[in-house]
Structure formats: structure tokens, C-alpha cells
């Protein structure tokens, strides 16, 4: 276990970073919006294999929420987060306020590239420009050698990898596997919104997606992919999801619709239970 230092300004942080650099330390960044769960802690653990020193950022980024989304309601549990972080290998927690990141104007100034088109952007068109703006800024302030993002937000992971290569940032992007509850539900800070009955329904998302993946190759051979997709959507509706934003198979690298040659496939889905939106994905 390491002692955890809390920084709220980039100026104070920069002195510490300088000290680490002078000592030849490799720095890893784990960006989060707080409300930490086991999934976040596993990202820190994975990062500890690559980095000598780990910074965890806690910042609920306003520009990735649209008007009417859950920015105000987003779970905030700083004391609990700090308590959890004290038992990890994180050395620093960076908790900037919005002015530290954005100055006077809280706007998303960067555009996300092609990988941001479709899927999440269909319902959250503002989302990826907010994400790349804040992640770019966090990279500038924390100067990491490596950063890690969870596979649960698969499109986000690819969008950030692309941003890093487009901006020639020398930062290795690590991919953290999705941690699941014992019943298969992907861990997410937003699971805190689910009431008992919604929580029971939510389990079915991963079950239906796993069945889909198991049947995918035989359905492809039999030319019955459209009906496999239709059946999965019908099952999601039957178990009580109120809206299916998407359930679709994509090329895992480009997020384009696959063709017969595509080897690396990913099933991605976003569904709703009333106001609550759940996303998940799995390799096929
Ligand atoms: O995945 C998240 O928690 C956020 O989108 C991120 C990457 C920390 C940016 O605010």
C-alpha cells in the first residue's frame, strides 16, 4: 500500500510530477469520474504492472453531459473514493475543479474523430467531444507515460486511442477488461440508479448478449443474422427493457459494419430501463 496524496491544482501537481520525472519514474494515469467500484480498482491494479507511480483523477466532466442528462445526479462519493484509493497502489489523486480544467468557459473545444460517429453519438451527440476535450487536458496536466480506460465503454476506448495517435501524444493506452457482478451485470457507477426490480431486469442484458455471441457463427453460416438480431431485440423487450438504443455487431477495430472477411468482431448494445441507460459489449 502507498500513501495517497491529494492534489486539486495543476500547479501543485506539476511540482510533484517534476520530482517523479527527475527520479526516472514511469507515470500511469487512471482517469475516472469517481463513484469508484471494483472495476476502477482493477484498472489501477493493471496500471501498477506498467507504471512506477499512479495518478487517479476524479472529475465529473460537465462537457460530456448534455442539458437534461444526469450531471447533477451523477453519484459523487469523494470520502468513500479516497478511502478505497488508500488501499490501492495509487500515489496521487487529482481532483481539479471545473475552472482548473476549463478556465472561464466550460465548453468542449476538441472534436472527436470518425470512430465517434454512430452508436453512442446517435443518442449522445455531445458526448465524445466532451470526453476527448477532458482527456486531452488531463493528459497535458498529468503528463502520463500510460493511461488506462475500461473496455466497458468500448467506443470511448477506441475514440481515445485515435485521439492519442492523431495528436501524436506519446502515451500508451491500456485496455482494462470489464468487471462484472457475479450475475454478469457489467460494473458501472450508474448501476447505483437501479432499484431492486430494475436491477433484476438488468442482469438479462449480459445473458442475452452472451447467447447472441454463442449463436453468432452458426447463424452467419446459415445466413440468418438478421433474425438472430431481431430475436435478441425481442428478448430484451420481453424482459422489460423499455428502449433498445442499439444492439449491433461491428468490426472491433473500426466500428464499421463487418463484412464476410472481418475477423475481429464486437457486439455492442445500449438499452434503457426508463430513464436509466445501460451499455455493454463483448467480443464474438
Ligand atoms: O469513462 C469515464 O469515466 C469518463 O468518460 C472519463 C474517461 C473519465 C472522462 O471524463
Amino acid at each position: 500500500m502507498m500513501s495517497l496524496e491529494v492534489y486539486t491544482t495543476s500547479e501543485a501537481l506539476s511540482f510533484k510530477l517534476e520530482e517523479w520525472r527527475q527520479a526516472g519514474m514511469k507515470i500511469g494515469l487512471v482517469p475516472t469520474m469517481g463513484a469508484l467500484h471494483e472495476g476502477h480498482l482493477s484498472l489501477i491494479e493493471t496500471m501498477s504492472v506498467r507504471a512506477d507511480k499512479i495518478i487517479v483523477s476524479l472529475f465529473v466532466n460537465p462537457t460530456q453531459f448534455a442539458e437534461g442528462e444526469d450531471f447533477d445526479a451523477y453519484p459523487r462519493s469523494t470520502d468513500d473514493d479516497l478511502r478505497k484509493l488508500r488501499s490501492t497502489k495509487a500515489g496521487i489523486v487529482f481532483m481539479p475543479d471545473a475552472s482548473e480544467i476549463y478556465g472561464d468557459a466550460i465548453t468542449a473545444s476538441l472534436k472527436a474523430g470518425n470512430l465517434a460517429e454512430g452508436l453512442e453519438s446517435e443518442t449522445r451527440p455531445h458526448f465524445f467531444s466532451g470526453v476527448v476535450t477532458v482527456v486531452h487536458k488531463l493528459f497535458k496536466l498529468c503528463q502520463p507515460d500510460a493511461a488506462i480506460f475500461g473496455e466497458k465503454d468500448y467506443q470511448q476506448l477506441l475514440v481515445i486511442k485515435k485521439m492519442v495517435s492523431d495528436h501524436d501524444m506519446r502515451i500508451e493506452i491500456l485496455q482494462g477488461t470489464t468487471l462484472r457482478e457475479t450475475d454478469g451485470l457489467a460494473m458501472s457507477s450508474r448501476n447505483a440508479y437501479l432499484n431492486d426490480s430494475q436491477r433484476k431486469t438488468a442482469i438479462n442484458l449480459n445473458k442475452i448478449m452472451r447467447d447472441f455471441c454463442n449463436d453468432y457463427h452458426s447463424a452467419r453460416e446459415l445466413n440468418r443474422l438478421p433474425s438472430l438480431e431481431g430475436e435478441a431485440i425481442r428478448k430484451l423487450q420481453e424482459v422489460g427493457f423499455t428502449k433498445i438504443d442499439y444492439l449491433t455487431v461491428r468490426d472491433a477495430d473500426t466500428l464499421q459494419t463487418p463484412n464476410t472477411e472481418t475477423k475481429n468482431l464486437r457486439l455492442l448494445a445500449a438499452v434503457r430501463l426508463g430513464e436509466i441507460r445501460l451499455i455493454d459489449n463483448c467480443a464474438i
Side-chain angles (χ1 to χ4, degrees):
M1 207 186 302
M2 310 220 175
S3 69
L4 184 72
E5 292 180 44
V6 179
Y7 287 81
T8 54
T9 69
S10 51
E11 198 189 353
L13 179 66
S14 68
F15 291 117
K16 187 71 189 181
L17 293 176
E18 190 48 36
E19 191 187 307
W20 281 353
R21 292 256 166 247
Q22 294 286 340
M25 300 290 179
K26 190 168 174 186
I27 300 170
L29 174 67
V30 184
T32 81
M33 297 207 299
L36 302 180
H37 51 69
E38 288 296 318
H40 295 112
L41 305 186
S42 84
L43 297 180
I44 299 172
E45 192 53 38
T46 305
M47 179 56 84
S48 72
V49 179
R50 297 291 182 95
D52 304 308
K53 296 287 181 188
I54 299 177
I55 306 173
V56 176
S57 62
L58 301 188
F59 179 64
V60 185
N61 173 35
T63 63
Q64 66 191 74
F65 294 80
E67 201 68 32
E69 285 190 347
D70 57 344
F71 176 69
D72 290 331
Y74 195 84
R76 288 163 173 86
S77 51
T78 312
D79 290 345
D80 200 38
D81 290 347
L82 293 176
R83 189 184 52 74
K84 287 179 180 158
L85 287 174
R86 284 198 184 94
S87 60
T88 69
K89 292 173 183 148
I92 285 182
V93 55
F94 180 45
M95 301 196 312
D97 65 16
S99 65
E100 198 68 32
I101 299 287
Y102 289 105
D104 293 337
I106 301 185
T107 51
S109 51
L110 289 188
K111 274 197 173 156
N114 292 351
L115 288 159
E117 284 165 17
L119 303 170
E120 286 302 286
S121 293
E122 291 289 322
T123 32
R124 310 188 70 202
H126 56 282
F127 177 68
F128 287 118
S129 54
V131 168
V132 292
T133 300
V134 77
V135 171
H136 188 271
K137 187 76 184 190
L138 288 169
F139 284 177
K140 289 281 170 205
L141 299 182
C142 301
Q143 303 161 40
D145 299 286
I148 186 162
F149 297 87
E151 270 180 6
K152 158 133 189 309
D153 295 283
Y154 191 77
Q155 189 178 13
Q156 168 176 279
L157 172 71
L158 296 194
V159 165
I160 291 169
K161 281 186 178 171
K162 182 77 171 53
M163 176 198 78
V164 166
S165 87
D166 285 351
H167 290 253
D168 296 319
M169 299 178 113
R170 293 208 185 126
I171 301 172
E172 183 188 6
I173 301 299
L174 311 182
Q175 182 160 332
T177 42
T178 303
L179 248 66
R180 297 183 182 279
E181 306 292 349
T182 44
D183 56 21
L185 179 66
M187 289 186 187
S188 161
S189 305
R190 287 190 168 100
N191 290 350
Y193 297 152
L194 297 166
N195 65 29
D196 287 352
S197 130
Q198 289 168 327
R199 176 70 184 72
K200 282 191 188 120
T201 305
I203 304 167
N204 292 290
L205 175 59
N206 181 246
K207 278 194 189 140
I208 293 169
M209 290 177 76
R210 269 191 290 129
D211 289 348
F212 183 103
C213 291
N214 289 337
D215 294 342
Y216 183 83
H217 288 290
S218 55
R220 179 144 116 167
E221 269 167 36
L222 297 169
N223 252 336
R224 53 175 302 275
L225 285 179
S227 57
L228 185 70
E229 214 165 289
E231 276 162 33
I233 289 174
R234 187 176 42 72
K235 283 190 210 158
L236 289 167
Q237 288 163 338
E238 272 170 15
V239 296
F241 291 105
T242 49
K243 187 161 186 285
I244 318 304
D245 283 345
Y246 57 82
L247 174 119
T248 180
V249 176
R250 295 295 172 93
D251 180 314
D253 303 312
T254 64
L255 295 182
Q256 296 298 306
T257 305
N259 57 38
T260 47
E261 308 294 304
T262 312
K263 296 271 177 307
N264 205 358
L265 297 165
R266 198 107 194 159
L267 174 66
L268 301 116
V271 297
R272 297 190 200 211
L273 276 167
E275 294 292 301
I276 306 167
R277 193 162 178 276
L278 302 175
I279 61 171
D280 203 349
N281 67 84
C282 42
I284 297 181

